[in-house]
């Protein structure tokens, strides 16, 4: 059975269908079975698990994992290794629920004990940990069972495979985990601190896989706060290593991983962004990431071109497929012309495989490039300018917004959002390429994660100095943004109301009326009682922008005055922070600037008492906002000024 299934998925599937798995598991668990028989059963099961995902599902349905875990209690190291090898293959399959490793609390401690048994056990166990550590809970479980101390010494193992799996294990443990990262920075291995060992693994003479994984470890530790961003191991070692991985000489997978890790490293730090932008021509280097076709039509055209070139060769091959065992003999007996044809076919097949490989990674390359561009341009205006001036950059972003891959669209929107922070680019490149059009299309029907970033970008495009503001308004953006405020996602509610706030800034009466009509009074006041303080702050900002210029103030207060005054009272009486109350007092100050609207304040004793209270408040911001209200209510040009002044004199 073992010899029949090796390298043959069809035979593996046949054996599974014939019911071999339950029988093998039965023999594996029988006390009367010899250790040699149990080992052979585990080996065959391991081979079956290396087949298709359906094969793995069949093995899982037969409850293979509990049986293999039970086998780890044996004293025989060959049997243990066979069970671990099979478990490794099953747990690294995407169809296996990783939670199965954590169901029994005794499994992790026992695996820790097995680490000392052999090099193979070290390799397989570290690989299992690395693949099954997918969430903070998993990191905590492994950390609490002493995984850091148990695998640290494996980084200096004589076996490259063991070193690599231990390194991968550390990378998943440190990701977004300050507790683990702060521990790692102080761990000693043979007298050296762990970060120093990681730095040694970044050297150019080390395998690329090792360099990349070590760079990930240091990146994650830096982002978690255990290594400073200006530390030499980050600035002089990790960052240059990751930039090297973006070079076109590297494999596609390495370029993707390098760019995404670098994007994560530099995302929050402007100085790292500046250093990366001038390292090895990184910005222009990323242009090569877009040279692989990602559309179906482009793929079809390229493949058709290859098929046309090879058609004569394929027609000449009338002998059919050659059995592997006959390959050498066949080549020896072929005439020279047939040997040439066969060589051409092998070469063509290799070329076709490479083409498929390149096409498969086209979306991943675009996604990685957009992510890195977004991080590079997050803060610095000069870097944004360099990115946009790169050849066809805006066209690539616009095309990215309509890609079939959701991940590429999300990365393209993030890149656009990063670049939209530039006032200059909003006025020039964004207008020249009319990026608002594809952005509005993205907002029509997209998953929440894309909607959040796209709506954030729209907020920037609706700023007062943006030329895109007017065409966006004309395209029916108000209804779209009002619908976002109804979302259950707080980030979408914030962005919807934020965009409306920007839209209302120094807007004419018609736009303000359209916003109020689209939002509805009920929804506006529902947002004023939103549990998310960011939603509340932006809603107050919207009200403040709506209640600007006297004619607009008087008109809005004549129709919505009662509800607005109730909302203001409700907020000033509530348990809100200083910023919320300051914004609310500023709204009152705007109302006080109206000609007729101020009467709603002067005839409301409750509001007047609140203004008096905040004039004497210990916080300077609230004092100033309250005094601003009084200044507007008693302004010289207003009819009835003396009456208001007298009232305030008696009040204060």
């Amino acid at each position: 059975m073992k010899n029949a299934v090796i390298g043959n998925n069809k035979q593996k599937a046949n054996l599974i269908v014939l019911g071999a798995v339950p029988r093998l598991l039965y023999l594996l668990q029988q006390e009367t079975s010899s250790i040699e028989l149990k080992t052979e059963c585990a080996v065959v099961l391991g081979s079956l698990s290396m087949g298709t995902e359906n094969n793995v599902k069949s093995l899982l349905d037969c409850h293979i994992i509990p049986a293999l875990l039970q086998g780890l209690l044996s004293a025989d190291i060959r049997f243990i290794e066979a069970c671990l090898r099979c478990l490794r293959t099953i747990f690294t399959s995407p169809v296996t629920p990783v939670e199965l490793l954590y169901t029994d609390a005794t499994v992790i401690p026992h695996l820790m004990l097995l680490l000392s048994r052999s090099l193979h056990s070290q390799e397989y166990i570290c690989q299992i940990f690395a693949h099954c550590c997918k969430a903070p809970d998993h990191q905590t479980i492994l950390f609490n069972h002493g995984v850091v101390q148990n695998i640290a010494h494996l980084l200096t193992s004589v076996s490259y495979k063991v070193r690599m799996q231990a390194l991968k294990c550390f990378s998943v443990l440190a990701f977004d985990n300050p507790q683990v990262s702060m521990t790692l920075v102080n761990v000693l291995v043979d007298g050296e601190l762990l970060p120093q060992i990681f730095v040694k693994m970044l050297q150019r003479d080390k395998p690329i896989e090792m360099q990349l994984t070590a760079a990930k470890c240091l990146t994650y530790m830096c982002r978690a706060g255990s290594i400073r961003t200006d530390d030499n191991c980050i600035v002089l070692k990790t960052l240059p290593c990751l930039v090297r991985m973006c070079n076109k000489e590297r494999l596609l997978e390495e370029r993707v991983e390098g760019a995404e890790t670098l994007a994560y490293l530099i995302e929050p730090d402007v100085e790292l962004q500046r250093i990366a932008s001038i390292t090895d021509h990184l910005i222009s280097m990323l242009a090569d990431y877009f040279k692989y076709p990602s559309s179906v039509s482009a793929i079809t055209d390229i493949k058709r071109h290859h098929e046309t070139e090879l058609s004569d060769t394929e027609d000449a091959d009338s002998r059919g497929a050659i059995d592997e065992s006959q390959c050498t003999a066949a080549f020896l007996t072929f005439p020279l012309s047939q040997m040439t044809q066969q060589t051409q076919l092998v070469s063509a097949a290799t070329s076709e495989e490479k083409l498929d490989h390149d096409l498969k990674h086209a979306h991943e390359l675009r996604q990685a490039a957009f992510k890195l561009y977004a991080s590079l341009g997050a803060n610095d205006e000069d870097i944004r300018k360099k990115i946009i001036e790169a050849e066809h950059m805006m066209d690539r972003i616009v095309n990215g917004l309509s890609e079939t891959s959701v991940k590429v669209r999300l990365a393209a929107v993030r890149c656009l959002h990063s670049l939209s922070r530039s006032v200059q680019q909003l006025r020039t490149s964004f207008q020249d390429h009319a990026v608002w059009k594809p952005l509005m299309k993205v907002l029509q029907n997209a998953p929440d994660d894309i909607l959040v970033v796209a709506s954030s970008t729209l907020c920037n495009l609706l700023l007062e100095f943006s030329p895109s503001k007017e065409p966006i308004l004309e395209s029916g953006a108000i209804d779209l943004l009002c619908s976002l405020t109804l979302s259950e996602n707080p980030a979408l509610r914030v962005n919807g109301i934020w965009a409306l706030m920007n839209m209302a800034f120094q807007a004419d009466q018609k736009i303000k009326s359209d916003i109020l009509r689209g939002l509805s009074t009920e929804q506006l006041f529902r947002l004023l009682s939103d549990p998310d303080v960011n939603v509340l702050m932006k809603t107050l900002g919207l009200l403040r922008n709506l209640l600007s210029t006297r004619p607009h103030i008087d008109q809005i207060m004549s129709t919505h005055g009662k509800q607005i005054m109730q909302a203001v009272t409700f907020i000033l009486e509530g348990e809100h922070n200083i910023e919320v109350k300051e914004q609310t007092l500023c709204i009152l100050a705007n109302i006080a600037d109206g000609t007729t609207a101020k009467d709603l304040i002067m005839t409301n004793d409750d509001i007047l008492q609140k203004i008096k209270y905040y004039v004497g408040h210990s916080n300077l911001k609230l004092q100033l906002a309250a005094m601003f209200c009084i200044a507007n209510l008693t302004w010289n040009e207003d009819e009835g000024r003396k009456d208001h002044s007298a009232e305030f004199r008696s009040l204060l």
Side-chain angles (χ1 to χ4, degrees), residues 300-313:
T300 306
D301 289 344
I302 291 175
K303 286 194 172 183
R304 188 183 297 118
H305 176 67
H306 277 256
E307 286 166 4
T308 303
E309 285 184 341
L310 302 172
S311 59
D312 292 340
T313 307

Side-chain angles (χ1 to χ4, degrees), residues 381 384-385 387-388 393-394 397-398 401 412-439 454 456-458 460-462 465-469 471-472:
E381 183 65 24
R384 292 188 195 115
K385 190 171 183 292
I387 292 171
I388 287 179
M393 188 62 216
M394 290 306 295
I397 294 174
V398 169
L401 296 177
V413 174
R414 280 183 176 155
C415 183
L416 190 66
H417 180 236
S418 179
L419 299 175
S420 72
R421 296 177 181 136
S422 165
V423 175
Q424 181 185 355
Q425 302 309 327
L426 282 176
R427 288 175 170 168
T428 54
S429 301
F430 276 53
Q431 182 65 9
D432 295 341
H433 292 81
V435 296
W436 65 270
K437 289 182 180 178
L439 185 64
S456 292
T457 309
L458 193 64
N460 291 343
L461 267 63
L462 285 169
F465 48 77
S466 169
S468 302
K469 182 174 182 178
I472 290 173

Side-chain angles (χ1 to χ4, degrees), residues 334-351:
F334 272 176
L336 180 61
S337 60
Q338 288 180 315
M339 280 185 66
T340 305
Q341 291 168 359
Q342 188 67 22
T343 305
Q344 286 176 332
L345 277 171
V346 172
S347 175
T350 304
S351 176

